[in-house]
Structures are given as structure tokens and as C-alpha cells.
Amino acid sequence: PLNITTATTQAVFNNGTIIVKQKAGGTIISDIQFNSNDNDEYLILVDKTTNLTIENNTLAIENNIINDTHAIIVNDADDIKILNNTITTIGLSKNVNYDANTRVYTSSINAITTDNLVIDSNTITTNYTGQSDIYGTIESIDIRGNSSNKQLQQNTMITNNKIYTQADKYAYGVVF
């Protein structure tokens, strides 16, 4: 297992990301401050791994020119905990093609085909910037299965969070 955390001086990631891939089970990402402005599509990507915890972090991402903006993306994972983080996401409010199972362009937490996901005690603020598309959509938490292979999301728990979502067209706090 890998622990990515602050030691004695506050750890700060400016315009950088953490990517956790297969066989990284037991990883803990904690007590880190993330800041990104017009540089990254996401701050943390969890892809095909198990038993991972993201806790006590401050994540701030803003994109005025990049289409995709997500603080945390979880893809095809299991036993993931997102606990006690402060997340601020500001991005473009673009149209979403729900028929094609595409994700929204701006969300704070985006999880696809992830089982046993716990999102607890976070403060999540998701907002738009710039001019919105006609059906521009912003979502704070976006939880989806995969319609192409009929795989569903299993055992997701979203509890004790403060969720603030703002858009000038369509805003959703939690989408399943």
C-alpha cells in the first residue's frame, strides 16, 4: 500500500494530478492541498483499483478553457472511500449526450462502474464559468454504471455531505 500525505509542512500540488491505477490497493491520499487553474482535467484519477481512501484533502480545480473539469474521477474500481474533503470545482457548462453514456463535462466527483463507493462528510461546491451551452449541465456528484455492457453501480453510500451546485441552465447535486 502507498500513503500519499503531508508530513510536517503542508503538501501542496499546484497544477498537478495523482493517478492511481491497477494493483495499487490500500492506497491512502490524505491531508494534501490541490490547486489547478486551466491546467488539468482532474486532480485525482482512480482507475481499476481497490481499497483506496481519499480523505482530509482540499481540492480546488478551475477550468475556463479546458472542456472536462473533475476534482475526482473513479473508474471501474471497488471499495473506494472519499471522506472529509473540501472540494471546489469550477468549469464549463456544456451539453451532455446522455444517450451515448458520456459523462458530464463538469463535476466534483465522477464515478463510473465503481462498487462499494462511500462519499461521506465532504463539503462539495461545484459551479460554472463562462457562457453555458443551451443545455449546459453542472453536477456535483455523478454516479453511473456502464450502459454499453449493462454493468451497474453497486452499493454506493452518499452521507453527511454539504453539496452546493450552481449553473445558469441545469444544476444537479447528485445524479445516479
Side-chain angles (χ1 to χ4, degrees):
L2 177 63
N3 290 322
I4 305 170
T5 190
T6 290
T8 55
T9 303
Q10 176 65 54
V12 179
F13 278 57
N14 288 317
N15 295 324
T17 61
I18 292 178
I19 300 172
V20 182
K21 293 246 181 184
Q22 295 173 338
K23 299 180 182 173
T27 296
I28 299 172
I29 302 169
S30 65
D31 302 306
I32 299 173
Q33 181 178 335
F34 294 82
N35 303 300
S36 180
N37 192 338
D38 288 325
N39 195 70
D40 303 295
E41 292 181 5
Y42 52 83
L43 298 173
I44 299 173
L45 171 63
V46 177
D47 188 36
K48 296 179 179 73
T49 194
T50 61
N51 188 23
L52 179 129
T53 302
I54 300 168
E55 65 182 340
N56 301 322
N57 298 289
T58 300
L59 299 101
I61 183 169
E62 179 173 355
N63 282 326
N64 297 290
I65 55 176
I66 299 172
N67 279 341
D68 284 306
T69 307
H70 311 279
I72 300 170
I73 296 177
V74 182
N75 182 46
D76 195 22
D78 185 27
D79 191 22
I80 306 300
K81 295 174 184 66
I82 302 172
L83 311 171
N84 197 36
N85 298 283
T86 301
I87 303 169
T88 303
T89 306
I90 301 170
L92 300 175
S93 184
K94 309 289 280 178
N95 294 336
V96 178
N97 183 354
Y98 289 103
D99 293 332
N101 197 41
T102 57
R103 71 172 148 238
V104 68
Y105 287 95
T106 299
S107 68
S108 287
I109 299 173
N110 184 272
I112 299 176
T113 60
T114 296
D115 294 335
N116 304 306
L117 173 64
V118 176
I119 301 171
D120 183 55
S121 300
N122 299 282
T123 300
I124 302 167
T125 303
T126 314
N127 206 337
Y128 74 101
T129 185
Q131 185 172 351
S132 296
D133 287 354
I134 192 165
Y135 299 109
T137 302
I138 300 290
E139 299 172 357
S140 283
I141 301 175
D142 186 11
I143 309 292
R144 296 172 190 255
N146 186 333
S147 64
S148 64
N149 65 9
K150 308 291 189 236
Q151 186 175 349
L152 301 175
Q153 194 94 1
Q154 303 288 325
N155 302 320
T156 297
M157 293 183 56
I158 301 171
T159 55
N160 303 314
N161 296 285
K162 295 177 185 173
I163 301 171
Y164 307 95
T165 311
Q166 183 176 353
D168 69 344
K169 304 289 185 191
Y170 297 93
Y172 301 95
V174 178
V175 175
F176 280 93

